[in-house]
Amino acid sequence: MRNAWWQSAVIYQIYPRSFQDTTGNGIGDLEGIRRRVPYLAETLGVDAVWLSPFYPSPQRDLGYDVSDYTNVDPQYGTLDDFDRLRSALHDAGLKLIVDWVPNHSSDQHPWFVESRASRDNPKRDWYVWKDAGPSGGLPNNWLSNFGGPAWEFDAATGQYYLHSFLKEQPDLNWRDPQLREAMLDTLRFWLDRGVDGFRIDVAHYMMKDPALRSNPSADARARGSYKDLGEYETQLHIYNKGHEDIHDVFRAIRSVMEEYDGDRLTVGEIHEYEPQKWASYYGSGDGLSMPLNFALLAAEDSRDGVAAAVEAVESVTPEFGWPNYVWGNHDEQRVASRLGDPGARRAAVLLLTLRGTPTMYYGDEIGMLEADVPPELAVDPWGKRVPGLGRDGARTPMQWDQHGGFSPTANTWLPMGPDTENRSVDSQVDDPASMLTLYRRLLAVRSTSRALQIGALAVVDSADPDVFVFQRQSAAETVTVMVNYADGARRVAGVEASEVLVSSDPARLAGNTLLELSPGEALVVR
């Protein structure tokens, strides 16, 4: 059976505002990413780059409010800059994945400007409009993810429009065939420019209950997420997202991908935590390539917690499907802050050795920490509306050297994160004990191991409640991974090793194949 390129690839997510500024305006740009391609391809050794949105936008939600799906925001560069970046990545052997935001646009998109102009405008049904409810109030009880009702009244036309996020982000109506074809054409635009795939933002929100029924109330025990989402969690969100018709949309997207040569990746952001429900987004093999898997973020950082998450994913992933894992992204607290440095080192080993496609988040390879951004410098609209849910701390500029190295100006769009002296590329690249060296070793080992790239996974009973052991197997090799969650050393019985490939513990001596794990150590052996 032939494997698609993305099954053995390691994906690296870049938040363009925060990777490299070349103009001195304090905001990262496409040219900055192009200049860092040697770091991605040679120093680090990833296989694909995912770019968060770079489209023209009023930036009310930092680019996830798109006002033009087929262009580049001037603060990031031009279409020519995009083409140069794509060419540089492809020349270096890397694939390019771009973010696609199909659930909603900006309220300044020309489509919405037309849609709200009048009730009989040809684009009226390109968005979700509804009369007031029977009592003259909101059409239903749906809530915005960012706090408050999901409906905004438009006085000019006397109806409400739906916004699952900010009121400046009206939801597109994927039940309208003209809107659907217009959005599919935006995919073709970027495919024509040579992109290799798409990460689809909040993919399960695109199709709602066609009757727009109100959601039932949620029992406090029925929390659907691994973090407190405030008022949003007072409902069971069964009608405002995830309608079964979404699979028709995914099939239409797949058909567009198949118009082009090569394996084009579609990975959907699916926040669904019940394993069977999550796995349903694989469809029947004719939809998304993968639904993003957030199981490790939700898992307890323990042997039982991680093992349960992995075994659940393995048990529900269909035979035609392929798993994937993440530890962090632009919406989550930095993994080094969440788990501490020893935990972040274990996380690196797990991410790059479990069966499936791993996605790294920029800066995690140097252990970047969550920044404490003061309120006067905060940018994220979610954090401003719902205290405690701000995402600015995970989006601070990439730390290239002890002074930051991100921008010619100190006045960056967000302040630099903490400890740039020790958590930077320059300070770690030649340090054999650094987080960056650990990631580089893992990536190098993975790049030559078919067992780690596409091999089967078997969980091994370690007979120790604190040690998680699994094996990756191909026709040519067996690789064993052991992760010690105990505060003390642990000896693993029944496993033989001829070669230590990687250890998360920099104190392990080269050539030491003794299977005694130090506290918190993750060990990869052949």
Side-chain angles (χ1 to χ4, degrees):
M1 179 179 176
R2 185 182 67 85
N3 296 102
W5 65 263
W6 43 266
Q7 289 181 273
S8 58
V10 176
I11 300 171
Y12 185 91
Q13 181 193 356
I14 291 176
Y15 199 66
R17 295 180 72 84
S18 294
F19 203 60
Q20 183 69 70
D21 169 28
T22 63
T23 65
N25 65 354
I27 297 172
D29 46 60
L30 298 183
E31 171 60 15
I33 300 169
R34 188 190 69 80
R35 294 183 188 179
R36 294 296 185 176
V37 168
Y39 168 77
L40 299 167
E42 300 164 19
T43 303
L44 196 55
V46 296
D47 304 295
V49 167
W50 151 28
L51 296 183
S52 292
F54 51 84
Y55 312 108
S57 166
Q59 302 296 326
R60 297 302 299 265
D61 188 23
L62 287 307
Y64 283 94
D65 51 323
V66 179
S67 57
D68 183 350
Y69 286 97
T70 57
N71 213 330
V72 174
D73 194 298
Q75 67 183 339
Y76 299 131
T78 65
L79 280 171
D80 285 342
D81 291 324
F82 177 87
D83 291 340
R84 282 191 287 270
L85 171 57
R86 178 215 61 228
S87 295
L89 289 167
H90 284 174
D91 288 347
L94 275 63
K95 303 290 187 179
L96 174 59
I97 302 160
V98 299
D99 227 315
W100 187 54
V101 189
N103 177 71
H104 48 265
S105 75
S106 165
D107 63 348
Q108 295 183 36
H109 195 294
W111 295 347
F112 187 70
V113 173
E114 286 192 52
S115 183
R116 78 188 310 178
S118 68
R119 290 198 184 196
D120 59 359
N121 187 278
K123 288 188 173 60
R124 183 67 170 184
D125 288 338
W126 286 33
Y127 293 82
V128 182
W129 293 93
K130 185 75 172 172
D131 290 329
S135 62
L138 297 169
N140 63 25
N141 71 347
W142 292 359
L143 296 171
S144 161
N145 280 259
F146 288 169
W151 296 96
E152 181 72 10
F153 186 67
D154 180 64
T157 58
Q159 284 187 313
Y160 289 86
Y161 67 85
L162 178 66
H163 59 93
S164 296
F165 296 88
L166 296 175
K167 66 181 178 65
E168 293 87 2
Q169 293 171 291
D171 280 28
L172 293 160
N173 178 19
W174 274 82
R175 297 190 183 280
D176 183 276
Q178 291 182 321
L179 177 278
R180 180 180 295 204
E181 193 57 34
M183 285 300 292
L184 294 177
D185 279 343
T186 68
L187 291 174
R188 294 183 179 99
F189 177 88
W190 294 106
L191 289 164
D192 289 341
R193 298 195 92 88
V195 306
D196 301 290
F198 299 89
R199 179 267 187 184
I200 305 175
D201 185 58
V202 291
H204 54 328
Y205 275 78
M206 294 161 67
M207 294 300 270
K208 293 87 170 169
D209 173 39
L212 302 181
R213 287 172 285 183
S214 286
N215 286 321
S217 298
D219 187 291
R221 293 168 297 178
R223 244 181 75 179
S225 177
Y226 49 87
K227 56 187 177 184
D228 187 352
L229 300 179
E231 181 189 17
Y232 192 74
E233 292 197 66
T234 63
Q235 295 180 359
L236 291 175
H237 297 279
I238 61 175
Y239 293 125
N240 64 313
K241 61 180 179 179
H243 190 272
E244 60 185 14
D245 291 346
I246 190 63
H247 299 292
D248 291 333
V249 175
F250 292 160
R251 281 189 283 270
I253 292 169
R254 171 66 71 92
S255 294
V256 172
M257 300 299 114
E258 291 176 349
E259 294 171 10
Y260 294 80
D261 294 334
D263 299 310
R264 307 296 172 129
L265 172 68
T266 53
V267 55
E269 181 190 16
I270 307 288
H271 286 279
E272 179 56 63
Y273 306 100
E274 194 282 309
Q276 290 287 355
K277 180 68 172 176
W278 168 78
S280 73
Y281 285 97
Y282 279 102
S284 301
D286 55 355
L288 292 177
S289 307
M290 298 183 295
L292 270 173
N293 168 29
F294 299 101
L296 290 177
L297 281 86
E300 179 185 82
D301 185 34
S302 66
R303 187 269 178 203
D304 287 348
V306 171
V310 171
E311 290 173 330
V313 168
E314 286 289 323
S315 69
V316 299
T317 301
E319 186 176 349
F320 59 79
W322 186 248
N324 65 94
Y325 288 96
V326 301
W327 276 109
N329 59 37
H330 61 292
D331 290 330
E332 307 298 339
Q333 185 185 43
R334 283 280 180 183
V335 65
S337 292
R338 200 163 69 240
L339 302 179
D341 283 340
R345 296 178 76 93
R346 289 195 302 269
V349 173
L350 285 164
L351 180 68
L352 293 169
T353 59
L354 285 168
R355 188 177 82 100
T357 301
T359 298
M360 297 170 53
Y361 183 51
Y362 84 95
D364 280 351
E365 74 272 23
I366 53 173
M368 279 179 60
L369 297 169
E370 187 83 0
D372 184 13
V373 178
E376 64 273 16
L377 297 179
V379 179
D380 179 27
W382 197 1
K384 289 182 176 183
R385 291 167 63 95
V386 185
L389 291 178
R391 300 164 293 178
D392 290 329
R395 300 175 174 185
T396 54
M398 179 66 173
Q399 296 167 191
W400 295 104
D401 61 37
Q402 65 267 33
H403 305 296
F406 162 71
S407 174
T409 178
N411 187 26
T412 55
W413 80 279
L414 280 175
M416 299 299 299
D419 196 17
T420 58
E421 182 176 355
N422 298 300
R423 299 174 190 269
S424 70
V425 173
D426 280 2
S427 66
Q428 293 190 16
V429 70
D430 294 322
D431 179 359
S434 71
M435 184 80 77
L436 180 56
T437 295
L438 173 62
Y439 268 95
R440 294 176 70 191
R441 286 175 178 164
L442 284 163
L443 287 161
V445 167
R446 182 186 173 92
S447 70
T448 60
S449 170
R450 295 299 281 171
L452 290 177
Q453 289 176 354
I454 60 169
L457 180 144
V459 175
V460 177
D461 183 3
S462 68
D464 188 318
D466 291 316
V467 181
F468 179 40
V469 182
F470 61 92
Q471 292 183 326
R472 301 293 310 283
Q473 298 166 324
S474 68
E477 65 174 339
T478 296
V479 174
T480 302
V481 182
M482 295 162 283
V483 187
N484 180 17
Y485 287 92
D487 293 332
R490 290 291 188 270
R491 185 66 181 259
V492 180
V495 176
E496 296 181 358
S498 61
E499 180 184 4
V500 169
L501 299 176
V502 187
S503 170
S504 67
D505 183 359
R508 178 174 284 271
L509 298 175
N512 176 10
T513 59
L514 291 177
L515 298 188
E516 182 172 275
L517 304 177
S518 61
E521 182 181 12
L523 185 63
V524 185
V525 301
R526 179 155 42 215

